[in-house]
Amino acid sequence: MLEACVFATILCGFFGIIFKKNLVMKIISMDVMSTGVIAYYVLIASRNGLFTPIASDIKNGTYSDPVPQAVILTAIVIGFSIQALMLVGVMKLARDNPTLESNEIEKSNTP
């Protein structure tokens, strides 16, 4: 059930990127899709019966791998920086165009 909700989040973001015409809504849809992908990665990486290597008192247990946590943290930071860069680009477009609709911007910039 949880995997279905995560896939629904990814699909909502994907269809938002395709069908929304406003550039800010496209950026928000990309963020929703990125959040869904990160949630899916966390869902797959979490397994029952694993212990953290530092906070566990068990001597001979199976420990969880810290690499997926580092990858997820890196993905969150990269996603945030890409989102900020795209918002700056939209702000530059907003100075030149009266609207943020992608169809209107394409019409006004074609020779």
Side-chain angles (χ1 to χ4, degrees), residues 46-93:
S46 66
R47 288 179 274 166
N48 293 332
L50 297 178
F51 302 101
T52 56
I54 296 173
S56 179
D57 294 332
I58 297 174
K59 302 271 190 241
N60 294 328
T62 54
Y63 294 114
S64 63
D65 189 16
V67 173
Q69 297 172 8
V71 169
I72 290 300
L73 185 61
T74 305
I76 291 170
V77 170
I78 290 172
F80 178 73
S81 63
I82 289 173
Q83 186 179 12
L85 184 65
M86 286 189 301
L87 285 172
V88 168
V90 167
M91 286 173 53
K92 295 283 262 183
L93 278 173

mmCIF file of all heavy atoms in Angstrom, residues 46-93:
data_model
loop_
_atom_site.group_PDB
_atom_site.id
_atom_site.type_symbol
_atom_site.label_atom_id
_atom_site.label_comp_id
_atom_site.label_asym_id
_atom_site.label_seq_id
_atom_site.Cartn_x
_atom_site.Cartn_y
_atom_site.Cartn_z
ATOM 1 N N SER A 46 14.938 0.506 3.497
ATOM 2 C CA SER A 46 14.622 0.129 4.883
ATOM 3 C C SER A 46 14.201 -1.332 4.922
ATOM 4 O O SER A 46 13.342 -1.774 4.174
ATOM 5 C CB SER A 46 13.516 1.025 5.426
ATOM 6 O OG SER A 46 12.320 0.793 4.720
ATOM 7 N N ARG A 47 14.832 -2.080 5.802
ATOM 8 C CA ARG A 47 14.513 -3.492 5.981
ATOM 9 C C ARG A 47 14.381 -3.784 7.466
ATOM 10 O O ARG A 47 15.062 -3.176 8.296
ATOM 11 C CB ARG A 47 15.602 -4.369 5.370
ATOM 12 C CG ARG A 47 15.581 -4.357 3.864
ATOM 13 C CD ARG A 47 16.672 -5.210 3.331
ATOM 14 N NE ARG A 47 17.859 -4.347 3.266
ATOM 15 C CZ ARG A 47 19.083 -4.783 3.098
ATOM 16 N NH1 ARG A 47 19.317 -6.060 2.994
ATOM 17 N NH2 ARG A 47 20.089 -3.951 3.039
ATOM 18 N N ASN A 48 13.551 -4.731 7.803
ATOM 19 C CA ASN A 48 13.372 -5.127 9.198
ATOM 20 C C ASN A 48 14.547 -5.982 9.660
ATOM 21 O O ASN A 48 15.135 -6.730 8.891
ATOM 22 C CB ASN A 48 12.075 -5.917 9.364
ATOM 23 C CG ASN A 48 10.855 -5.068 9.121
ATOM 24 O OD1 ASN A 48 10.881 -3.866 9.327
ATOM 25 N ND2 ASN A 48 9.784 -5.694 8.663
ATOM 26 N N GLY A 49 14.875 -5.851 10.920
ATOM 27 C CA GLY A 49 15.924 -6.680 11.498
ATOM 28 C C GLY A 49 17.316 -6.100 11.414
ATOM 29 O O GLY A 49 18.265 -6.731 11.846
ATOM 30 N N LEU A 50 17.457 -4.921 10.862
ATOM 31 C CA LEU A 50 18.784 -4.308 10.777
ATOM 32 C C LEU A 50 18.962 -3.310 11.904
ATOM 33 O O LEU A 50 18.028 -2.629 12.310
ATOM 34 C CB LEU A 50 18.961 -3.611 9.432
ATOM 35 C CG LEU A 50 18.921 -4.518 8.199
ATOM 36 C CD1 LEU A 50 19.071 -3.679 6.951
ATOM 37 C CD2 LEU A 50 19.993 -5.570 8.262
ATOM 38 N N PHE A 51 20.165 -3.213 12.393
ATOM 39 C CA PHE A 51 20.470 -2.323 13.506
ATOM 40 C C PHE A 51 21.450 -1.257 13.049
ATOM 41 O O PHE A 51 22.250 -1.488 12.140
ATOM 42 C CB PHE A 51 21.087 -3.115 14.665
ATOM 43 C CG PHE A 51 20.208 -4.215 15.161
ATOM 44 C CD1 PHE A 51 20.438 -5.525 14.793
ATOM 45 C CD2 PHE A 51 19.126 -3.932 15.980
ATOM 46 C CE1 PHE A 51 19.628 -6.536 15.242
ATOM 47 C CE2 PHE A 51 18.309 -4.943 16.429
ATOM 48 C CZ PHE A 51 18.549 -6.254 16.063
ATOM 49 N N THR A 52 21.401 -0.119 13.710
ATOM 50 C CA THR A 52 22.381 0.925 13.394
ATOM 51 C C THR A 52 23.722 0.546 14.019
ATOM 52 O O THR A 52 23.769 0.027 15.128
ATOM 53 C CB THR A 52 21.926 2.290 13.927
ATOM 54 O OG1 THR A 52 21.690 2.181 15.318
ATOM 55 C CG2 THR A 52 20.674 2.747 13.236
ATOM 56 N N PRO A 53 24.824 0.793 13.330
ATOM 57 C CA PRO A 53 26.119 0.344 13.848
ATOM 58 C C PRO A 53 26.563 1.080 15.104
ATOM 59 O O PRO A 53 27.326 0.547 15.884
ATOM 60 C CB PRO A 53 27.088 0.612 12.707
ATOM 61 C CG PRO A 53 26.320 1.128 11.584
ATOM 62 C CD PRO A 53 24.925 1.337 12.006
ATOM 63 N N ILE A 54 26.085 2.297 15.324
ATOM 64 C CA ILE A 54 26.580 3.080 16.448
ATOM 65 C C ILE A 54 25.689 2.921 17.680
ATOM 66 O O ILE A 54 26.173 2.687 18.781
ATOM 67 C CB ILE A 54 26.680 4.566 16.055
ATOM 68 C CG1 ILE A 54 27.713 4.717 14.950
ATOM 69 C CG2 ILE A 54 27.053 5.425 17.246
ATOM 70 C CD1 ILE A 54 27.784 6.082 14.356
ATOM 71 N N ALA A 55 24.381 2.996 17.505
ATOM 72 C CA ALA A 55 23.468 3.029 18.647
ATOM 73 C C ALA A 55 22.976 1.662 19.083
ATOM 74 O O ALA A 55 22.111 1.575 19.922
ATOM 75 C CB ALA A 55 22.265 3.907 18.309
ATOM 76 N N SER A 56 23.519 0.598 18.573
ATOM 77 C CA SER A 56 23.040 -0.735 18.890
ATOM 78 C C SER A 56 23.962 -1.416 19.893
ATOM 79 O O SER A 56 25.186 -1.301 19.819
ATOM 80 C CB SER A 56 22.941 -1.574 17.618
ATOM 81 O OG SER A 56 22.512 -2.859 17.939
ATOM 82 N N ASP A 57 23.362 -2.138 20.826
ATOM 83 C CA ASP A 57 24.134 -2.881 21.815
ATOM 84 C C ASP A 57 24.359 -4.330 21.395
ATOM 85 O O ASP A 57 25.031 -5.079 22.094
ATOM 86 C CB ASP A 57 23.411 -2.867 23.164
ATOM 87 C CG ASP A 57 23.348 -1.465 23.750
ATOM 88 O OD1 ASP A 57 24.251 -0.658 23.440
ATOM 89 O OD2 ASP A 57 22.414 -1.181 24.511
ATOM 90 N N ILE A 58 23.810 -4.755 20.303
ATOM 91 C CA ILE A 58 23.919 -6.136 19.848
ATOM 92 C C ILE A 58 25.301 -6.351 19.235
ATOM 93 O O ILE A 58 25.751 -5.591 18.380
ATOM 94 C CB ILE A 58 22.797 -6.448 18.842
ATOM 95 C CG1 ILE A 58 21.455 -6.310 19.537
ATOM 96 C CG2 ILE A 58 22.977 -7.833 18.253
ATOM 97 C CD1 ILE A 58 20.280 -6.463 18.623
ATOM 98 N N LYS A 59 25.963 -7.421 19.666
ATOM 99 C CA LYS A 59 27.329 -7.672 19.206
ATOM 100 C C LYS A 59 27.370 -8.342 17.828
ATOM 101 O O LYS A 59 28.134 -7.957 16.984
ATOM 102 C CB LYS A 59 28.059 -8.567 20.224
ATOM 103 C CG LYS A 59 28.095 -7.979 21.606
ATOM 104 C CD LYS A 59 29.308 -7.130 21.768
ATOM 105 C CE LYS A 59 29.450 -6.749 23.226
ATOM 106 N NZ LYS A 59 29.408 -5.370 23.467
ATOM 107 N N ASN A 60 26.560 -9.365 17.621
ATOM 108 C CA ASN A 60 26.625 -10.126 16.372
ATOM 109 C C ASN A 60 25.301 -10.008 15.618
ATOM 110 O O ASN A 60 24.611 -10.981 15.397
ATOM 111 C CB ASN A 60 26.944 -11.600 16.646
ATOM 112 C CG ASN A 60 28.326 -11.789 17.221
ATOM 113 O OD1 ASN A 60 29.223 -11.031 16.894
ATOM 114 N ND2 ASN A 60 28.497 -12.780 18.068
ATOM 115 N N GLY A 61 24.945 -8.827 15.190
ATOM 116 C CA GLY A 61 23.713 -8.626 14.436
ATOM 117 C C GLY A 61 24.014 -8.113 13.047
ATOM 118 O O GLY A 61 25.152 -7.774 12.720
ATOM 119 N N THR A 62 22.998 -8.083 12.248
ATOM 120 C CA THR A 62 23.169 -7.510 10.914
ATOM 121 C C THR A 62 22.965 -6.002 11.008
ATOM 122 O O THR A 62 21.968 -5.535 11.554
ATOM 123 C CB THR A 62 22.165 -8.118 9.935
ATOM 124 O OG1 THR A 62 20.854 -7.974 10.460
ATOM 125 C CG2 THR A 62 22.448 -9.585 9.713
ATOM 126 N N TYR A 63 23.909 -5.285 10.513
ATOM 127 C CA TYR A 63 23.864 -3.836 10.601
ATOM 128 C C TYR A 63 23.349 -3.238 9.305
ATOM 129 O O TYR A 63 23.554 -3.780 8.232
ATOM 130 C CB TYR A 63 25.249 -3.269 10.913
ATOM 131 C CG TYR A 63 25.756 -3.640 12.273
ATOM 132 C CD1 TYR A 63 26.869 -4.452 12.418
ATOM 133 C CD2 TYR A 63 25.114 -3.180 13.409
ATOM 134 C CE1 TYR A 63 27.339 -4.792 13.665
ATOM 135 C CE2 TYR A 63 25.569 -3.514 14.662
ATOM 136 C CZ TYR A 63 26.685 -4.326 14.795
ATOM 137 O OH TYR A 63 27.125 -4.659 16.026
ATOM 138 N N SER A 64 22.713 -2.087 9.425
ATOM 139 C CA SER A 64 22.226 -1.394 8.237
ATOM 140 C C SER A 64 23.377 -0.652 7.562
ATOM 141 O O SER A 64 24.338 -0.240 8.202
ATOM 142 C CB SER A 64 21.112 -0.420 8.598
ATOM 143 O OG SER A 64 21.603 0.571 9.464
ATOM 144 N N ASP A 65 23.244 -0.502 6.273
ATOM 145 C CA ASP A 65 24.278 0.156 5.484
ATOM 146 C C ASP A 65 24.050 1.667 5.521
ATOM 147 O O ASP A 65 22.965 2.142 5.182
ATOM 148 C CB ASP A 65 24.199 -0.358 4.046
ATOM 149 C CG ASP A 65 25.363 0.110 3.207
ATOM 150 O OD1 ASP A 65 26.366 0.571 3.780
ATOM 151 O OD2 ASP A 65 25.264 -0.012 1.976
ATOM 152 N N PRO A 66 25.035 2.467 5.910
ATOM 153 C CA PRO A 66 24.842 3.917 5.960
ATOM 154 C C PRO A 66 24.952 4.607 4.604
ATOM 155 O O PRO A 66 24.656 5.790 4.482
ATOM 156 C CB PRO A 66 25.944 4.394 6.900
ATOM 157 C CG PRO A 66 27.005 3.367 6.781
ATOM 158 C CD PRO A 66 26.308 2.068 6.511
ATOM 159 N N VAL A 67 25.365 3.887 3.566
ATOM 160 C CA VAL A 67 25.545 4.504 2.254
ATOM 161 C C VAL A 67 24.228 5.014 1.665
ATOM 162 O O VAL A 67 24.184 6.129 1.130
ATOM 163 C CB VAL A 67 26.278 3.532 1.291
ATOM 164 C CG1 VAL A 67 26.321 4.078 -0.115
ATOM 165 C CG2 VAL A 67 27.672 3.265 1.799
ATOM 166 N N PRO A 68 23.103 4.257 1.736
ATOM 167 C CA PRO A 68 21.849 4.814 1.199
ATOM 168 C C PRO A 68 21.423 6.111 1.884
ATOM 169 O O PRO A 68 20.871 7.001 1.241
ATOM 170 C CB PRO A 68 20.828 3.701 1.434
ATOM 171 C CG PRO A 68 21.619 2.464 1.497
ATOM 172 C CD PRO A 68 22.922 2.849 2.115
ATOM 173 N N GLN A 69 21.707 6.238 3.170
ATOM 174 C CA GLN A 69 21.370 7.480 3.864
ATOM 175 C C GLN A 69 22.181 8.646 3.312
ATOM 176 O O GLN A 69 21.655 9.751 3.124
ATOM 177 C CB GLN A 69 21.624 7.328 5.358
ATOM 178 C CG GLN A 69 20.758 6.277 6.010
ATOM 179 C CD GLN A 69 21.159 6.025 7.435
ATOM 180 O OE1 GLN A 69 21.981 6.733 8.004
ATOM 181 N NE2 GLN A 69 20.570 5.006 8.025
ATOM 182 N N ALA A 70 23.442 8.412 3.032
ATOM 183 C CA ALA A 70 24.287 9.469 2.461
ATOM 184 C C ALA A 70 23.838 9.823 1.049
ATOM 185 O O ALA A 70 23.835 10.998 0.672
ATOM 186 C CB ALA A 70 25.747 9.015 2.468
ATOM 187 N N VAL A 71 23.433 8.820 0.278
ATOM 188 C CA VAL A 71 22.970 9.073 -1.085
ATOM 189 C C VAL A 71 21.678 9.892 -1.058
ATOM 190 O O VAL A 71 21.509 10.833 -1.844
ATOM 191 C CB VAL A 71 22.782 7.737 -1.842
ATOM 192 C CG1 VAL A 71 22.064 7.951 -3.151
ATOM 193 C CG2 VAL A 71 24.120 7.074 -2.066
ATOM 194 N N ILE A 72 20.776 9.557 -0.155
ATOM 195 C CA ILE A 72 19.512 10.285 -0.047
ATOM 196 C C ILE A 72 19.760 11.728 0.384
ATOM 197 O O ILE A 72 19.160 12.662 -0.152
ATOM 198 C CB ILE A 72 18.558 9.574 0.929
ATOM 199 C CG1 ILE A 72 18.087 8.276 0.315
ATOM 200 C CG2 ILE A 72 17.386 10.439 1.291
ATOM 201 C CD1 ILE A 72 17.342 8.430 -0.978
ATOM 202 N N LEU A 73 20.638 11.920 1.341
ATOM 203 C CA LEU A 73 20.952 13.281 1.780
ATOM 204 C C LEU A 73 21.558 14.093 0.645
ATOM 205 O O LEU A 73 21.202 15.265 0.437
ATOM 206 C CB LEU A 73 21.901 13.240 2.975
ATOM 207 C CG LEU A 73 22.224 14.572 3.630
ATOM 208 C CD1 LEU A 73 20.948 15.205 4.164
ATOM 209 C CD2 LEU A 73 23.220 14.397 4.735
ATOM 210 N N THR A 74 22.424 13.477 -0.137
ATOM 211 C CA THR A 74 23.010 14.150 -1.288
ATOM 212 C C THR A 74 21.951 14.477 -2.330
ATOM 213 O O THR A 74 21.947 15.567 -2.917
ATOM 214 C CB THR A 74 24.107 13.273 -1.907
ATOM 215 O OG1 THR A 74 25.056 12.946 -0.889
ATOM 216 C CG2 THR A 74 24.805 13.978 -3.041
ATOM 217 N N ALA A 75 21.013 13.548 -2.568
ATOM 218 C CA ALA A 75 19.941 13.790 -3.534
ATOM 219 C C ALA A 75 19.038 14.932 -3.093
ATOM 220 O O ALA A 75 18.587 15.737 -3.923
ATOM 221 C CB ALA A 75 19.119 12.519 -3.724
ATOM 222 N N ILE A 76 18.774 15.037 -1.802
ATOM 223 C CA ILE A 76 17.944 16.131 -1.300
ATOM 224 C C ILE A 76 18.636 17.469 -1.519
ATOM 225 O O ILE A 76 18.016 18.444 -1.975
ATOM 226 C CB ILE A 76 17.613 15.912 0.189
ATOM 227 C CG1 ILE A 76 16.668 14.721 0.333
ATOM 228 C CG2 ILE A 76 17.004 17.156 0.815
ATOM 229 C CD1 ILE A 76 16.468 14.270 1.763
ATOM 230 N N VAL A 77 19.923 17.541 -1.224
ATOM 231 C CA VAL A 77 20.670 18.793 -1.387
ATOM 232 C C VAL A 77 20.770 19.186 -2.865
ATOM 233 O O VAL A 77 20.562 20.353 -3.227
ATOM 234 C CB VAL A 77 22.068 18.664 -0.745
ATOM 235 C CG1 VAL A 77 22.946 19.847 -1.095
ATOM 236 C CG2 VAL A 77 21.941 18.530 0.753
ATOM 237 N N ILE A 78 21.048 18.223 -3.724
ATOM 238 C CA ILE A 78 21.139 18.520 -5.154
ATOM 239 C C ILE A 78 19.781 18.948 -5.703
ATOM 240 O O ILE A 78 19.688 19.885 -6.496
ATOM 241 C CB ILE A 78 21.702 17.310 -5.915
ATOM 242 C CG1 ILE A 78 23.175 17.137 -5.568
ATOM 243 C CG2 ILE A 78 21.531 17.464 -7.422
ATOM 244 C CD1 ILE A 78 23.783 15.869 -6.102
ATOM 245 N N GLY A 79 18.706 18.278 -5.271
ATOM 246 C CA GLY A 79 17.359 18.659 -5.703
ATOM 247 C C GLY A 79 16.997 20.064 -5.274
ATOM 248 O O GLY A 79 16.391 20.824 -6.042
ATOM 249 N N PHE A 80 17.376 20.438 -4.053
ATOM 250 C CA PHE A 80 17.103 21.794 -3.577
ATOM 251 C C PHE A 80 17.867 22.828 -4.383
ATOM 252 O O PHE A 80 17.325 23.871 -4.752
ATOM 253 C CB PHE A 80 17.461 21.905 -2.095
ATOM 254 C CG PHE A 80 17.259 23.271 -1.538
ATOM 255 C CD1 PHE A 80 15.982 23.758 -1.309
ATOM 256 C CD2 PHE A 80 18.339 24.084 -1.249
ATOM 257 C CE1 PHE A 80 15.787 25.025 -0.808
ATOM 258 C CE2 PHE A 80 18.157 25.348 -0.744
ATOM 259 C CZ PHE A 80 16.876 25.826 -0.522
ATOM 260 N N SER A 81 19.128 22.536 -4.704
ATOM 261 C CA SER A 81 19.916 23.519 -5.459
ATOM 262 C C SER A 81 19.408 23.646 -6.899
ATOM 263 O O SER A 81 19.384 24.747 -7.450
ATOM 264 C CB SER A 81 21.393 23.139 -5.440
ATOM 265 O OG SER A 81 21.592 21.899 -6.074
ATOM 266 N N ILE A 82 18.972 22.538 -7.497
ATOM 267 C CA ILE A 82 18.409 22.609 -8.849
ATOM 268 C C ILE A 82 17.110 23.399 -8.842
ATOM 269 O O ILE A 82 16.855 24.215 -9.746
ATOM 270 C CB ILE A 82 18.214 21.194 -9.415
ATOM 271 C CG1 ILE A 82 19.563 20.586 -9.735
ATOM 272 C CG2 ILE A 82 17.320 21.197 -10.649
ATOM 273 C CD1 ILE A 82 19.493 19.128 -10.135
ATOM 274 N N GLN A 83 16.290 23.177 -7.822
ATOM 275 C CA GLN A 83 15.026 23.919 -7.717
ATOM 276 C C GLN A 83 15.287 25.415 -7.561
ATOM 277 O O GLN A 83 14.619 26.240 -8.190
ATOM 278 C CB GLN A 83 14.216 23.398 -6.545
ATOM 279 C CG GLN A 83 12.851 24.002 -6.449
ATOM 280 C CD GLN A 83 12.072 23.438 -5.276
ATOM 281 O OE1 GLN A 83 12.613 22.761 -4.418
ATOM 282 N NE2 GLN A 83 10.791 23.729 -5.235
ATOM 283 N N ALA A 84 16.263 25.785 -6.743
ATOM 284 C CA ALA A 84 16.599 27.196 -6.574
ATOM 285 C C ALA A 84 17.107 27.805 -7.874
ATOM 286 O O ALA A 84 16.745 28.935 -8.229
ATOM 287 C CB ALA A 84 17.640 27.355 -5.471
ATOM 288 N N LEU A 85 17.923 27.066 -8.616
ATOM 289 C CA LEU A 85 18.432 27.560 -9.892
ATOM 290 C C LEU A 85 17.307 27.747 -10.905
ATOM 291 O O LEU A 85 17.269 28.742 -11.635
ATOM 292 C CB LEU A 85 19.493 26.594 -10.437
ATOM 293 C CG LEU A 85 20.193 27.008 -11.720
ATOM 294 C CD1 LEU A 85 21.022 28.260 -11.476
ATOM 295 C CD2 LEU A 85 21.070 25.881 -12.214
ATOM 296 N N MET A 86 16.359 26.814 -10.939
ATOM 297 C CA MET A 86 15.236 26.961 -11.869
ATOM 298 C C MET A 86 14.351 28.142 -11.478
ATOM 299 O O MET A 86 13.843 28.855 -12.351
ATOM 300 C CB MET A 86 14.415 25.676 -11.901
ATOM 301 C CG MET A 86 15.089 24.561 -12.654
ATOM 302 S SD MET A 86 14.053 23.136 -12.937
ATOM 303 C CE MET A 86 13.607 22.653 -11.298
ATOM 304 N N LEU A 87 14.157 28.366 -10.193
ATOM 305 C CA LEU A 87 13.355 29.517 -9.774
ATOM 306 C C LEU A 87 14.025 30.833 -10.147
ATOM 307 O O LEU A 87 13.342 31.795 -10.506
ATOM 308 C CB LEU A 87 13.083 29.457 -8.270
ATOM 309 C CG LEU A 87 12.044 28.432 -7.844
ATOM 310 C CD1 LEU A 87 12.000 28.321 -6.326
ATOM 311 C CD2 LEU A 87 10.685 28.787 -8.395
ATOM 312 N N VAL A 88 15.348 30.893 -10.086
ATOM 313 C CA VAL A 88 16.056 32.097 -10.526
ATOM 314 C C VAL A 88 15.855 32.297 -12.020
ATOM 315 O O VAL A 88 15.637 33.426 -12.488
ATOM 316 C CB VAL A 88 17.554 32.004 -10.160
ATOM 317 C CG1 VAL A 88 18.355 33.078 -10.855
ATOM 318 C CG2 VAL A 88 17.735 32.101 -8.661
ATOM 319 N N GLY A 89 15.903 31.217 -12.794
ATOM 320 C CA GLY A 89 15.642 31.322 -14.223
ATOM 321 C C GLY A 89 14.239 31.807 -14.525
ATOM 322 O O GLY A 89 14.022 32.616 -15.432
ATOM 323 N N VAL A 90 13.259 31.332 -13.752
ATOM 324 C CA VAL A 90 11.872 31.789 -13.937
ATOM 325 C C VAL A 90 11.742 33.260 -13.559
ATOM 326 O O VAL A 90 11.011 34.016 -14.212
ATOM 327 C CB VAL A 90 10.904 30.895 -13.126
ATOM 328 C CG1 VAL A 90 9.526 31.513 -13.024
ATOM 329 C CG2 VAL A 90 10.815 29.525 -13.765
ATOM 330 N N MET A 91 12.471 33.690 -12.537
ATOM 331 C CA MET A 91 12.427 35.107 -12.165
ATOM 332 C C MET A 91 13.007 35.979 -13.286
ATOM 333 O O MET A 91 12.483 37.057 -13.560
ATOM 334 C CB MET A 91 13.205 35.342 -10.861
ATOM 335 C CG MET A 91 12.479 34.836 -9.641
ATOM 336 S SD MET A 91 13.449 34.907 -8.132
ATOM 337 C CE MET A 91 13.986 36.586 -8.085
ATOM 338 N N LYS A 92 14.056 35.513 -13.933
ATOM 339 C CA LYS A 92 14.617 36.260 -15.062
ATOM 340 C C LYS A 92 13.637 36.307 -16.226
ATOM 341 O O LYS A 92 13.497 37.331 -16.892
ATOM 342 C CB LYS A 92 15.926 35.605 -15.531
ATOM 343 C CG LYS A 92 17.035 35.647 -14.518
ATOM 344 C CD LYS A 92 17.648 36.987 -14.464
ATOM 345 C CE LYS A 92 18.897 36.964 -15.294
ATOM 346 N NZ LYS A 92 19.606 38.234 -15.228
ATOM 347 N N LEU A 93 12.920 35.199 -16.479
ATOM 348 C CA LEU A 93 11.907 35.191 -17.528
ATOM 349 C C LEU A 93 10.735 36.100 -17.185
ATOM 350 O O LEU A 93 10.149 36.734 -18.062
ATOM 351 C CB LEU A 93 11.390 33.766 -17.754
ATOM 352 C CG LEU A 93 12.217 32.868 -18.640
ATOM 353 C CD1 LEU A 93 11.667 31.458 -18.624
ATOM 354 C CD2 LEU A 93 12.239 33.398 -20.057
#
